[in-house]
Amino acid sequence: MATPDPRFVDAILDWRPTWFLARLLLVGAYLLGGAVKLTDWPGAVAEQAHFGMNPPALWAALTIAVELIGPVLILTGRWIWLGAGMLGVFTLLAAFTANAFWTMPPGPARFGATNAFFEHLGLIGGFVLAALVAEQAKRRG
């Protein structure tokens, strides 16, 4: 028999805003990134060019769209699976593009890129969990 959760844990998990706040924490960096890129178009294009994405303006526009639309879908609770999928695929592509640690010589830069790569994988897991929780809640009615 499983032991019950402590009361304070149940209180936090049962508190209605917890679900929204958890989603906001998950997507906040993407919202901020999309907003910053939207307000600094030349910087957004330069970032894509830095990572070898061609044409950089197209990739900047796609990045901004994904970084803004994905979080909105997740935060509004509509089509969470789609927003999570958009951000998950985007995050995986970004991890391989920006954090290719396996191509780097040993040292601090490789260590940082390795950490960032696996942090990106953790975010992808978070998106999968958000979609799973939303689907389970929908099925329970």
Side-chain angles (χ1 to χ4, degrees):
M1 184 168 115
T3 26
D5 296 329
R7 267 190 270 172
F8 79 93
V9 171
D10 284 338
I12 292 168
L13 296 177
D14 289 339
W15 188 49
R16 288 186 60 76
T18 298
W19 173 227
F20 178 80
L21 290 172
R23 289 178 290 154
L24 181 60
L25 289 171
L26 181 62
V27 302
Y30 295 89
L31 274 175
L32 181 60
V36 167
K37 288 174 183 70
L38 190 61
T39 60
D40 181 14
W41 178 252
V45 173
E47 178 184 50
Q48 297 304 315
H50 168 77
F51 289 116
M53 306 301 287
N54 284 306
L58 172 65
W59 287 102
L62 288 172
T63 296
I64 291 167
V66 168
E67 287 187 328
L68 294 177
I69 294 169
V72 168
L73 292 174
I74 290 171
L75 291 173
T76 60
R78 303 275 180 161
W79 296 349
I80 291 176
W81 63 269
L82 180 58
M86 290 170 64
L87 290 172
V89 169
F90 171 79
T91 302
L92 185 63
L93 294 173
F96 278 98
T97 302
N99 299 300
F101 67 90
W102 53 90
T103 65
M104 301 175 168
R110 181 179 179 147
F111 180 81
T114 302
N115 269 352
F117 182 87
F118 286 100
E119 287 170 355
H120 279 72
L121 294 183
L123 281 168
I124 294 166
F127 293 127
V128 172
L129 285 171
L132 285 169
V133 168
E135 184 62 27
Q136 290 299 316
K138 188 169 50 170
R139 289 179 185 179
R140 280 193 292 270

